Amino acid sequence: QVHLVESGGGLVQPGGSLRLSCAASGIIFSRNNMGWYRQAPGKQRELVAHITNGGSTNYANSVKGRFTISRDNAKNTVYLQMNSLKPEDTAVYFCNTRGIITNGDYWGQGTQVTVSS
């Protein structure tokens, strides 16, 4: 079974930083593309950052220059380093991957990020 477990969320002041982690199991991690999504109350889930198995990255325009996605294949973990956080970054952040054979999406349980004074 595929399992994705996010951690690292919490409450932070504007301008602060957090690092999210997503630990994966049930996949050959090094072969999978990984993504971070977020969803705020009343809003659609949106792609925040994406990293391919080869290490190529893409970011939403709203987070470019502030967030960095990376992966450690030895630890089966993908990270999202978030700097210069803004209140509008407040959301539940989800880790995602797509099954190579099934093409089905797999999601973690989410971790809450709250940016507030």
Side-chain angles (χ1 to χ4, degrees):
Q1 295 182 358
V2 178
H3 292 284
L4 304 174
V5 181
E6 302 96 334
S7 62
L11 175 64
V12 65
Q13 293 184 333
S17 298
L18 286 173
R19 189 180 75 160
L20 306 184
S21 299
C22 172
S25 61
I27 61 172
I28 303 175
F29 182 81
S30 62
R31 299 181 182 179
N32 278 67
N33 300 337
M34 305 295 298
W36 283 99
Y37 291 73
R38 67 186 181 188
Q39 187 166 22
K43 296 183 178 180
Q44 290 185 310
R45 187 174 300 179
E46 64 174 345
L47 176 67
V48 176
H50 181 267
I51 186 167
T52 69
N53 54 13
S56 297
T57 59
N58 287 293
Y59 299 92
N61 288 334
S62 59
V63 307
K64 284 183 178 179
R66 299 188 297 121
F67 290 10
T68 302
I69 187 171
S70 62
R71 64 193 298 157
D72 186 340
N73 290 344
K75 296 182 178 180
N76 289 351
T77 300
V78 62
Y79 304 96
L80 186 67
Q81 178 67 47
M82 304 185 295
N83 299 326
S84 302
L85 283 162
K86 304 174 180 179
E88 49 263 46
D89 295 318
T90 296
V92 178
Y93 284 71
F94 297 92
C95 183
N96 167 267
T97 193
R98 181 167 292 172
I100 294 175
I101 296 175
T102 67
N103 286 323
D105 281 316
Y106 297 92
W107 301 91
Q109 83 288 349
T111 185
Q112 177 71 48
V113 173
T114 302
V115 185
S116 176
S117 298

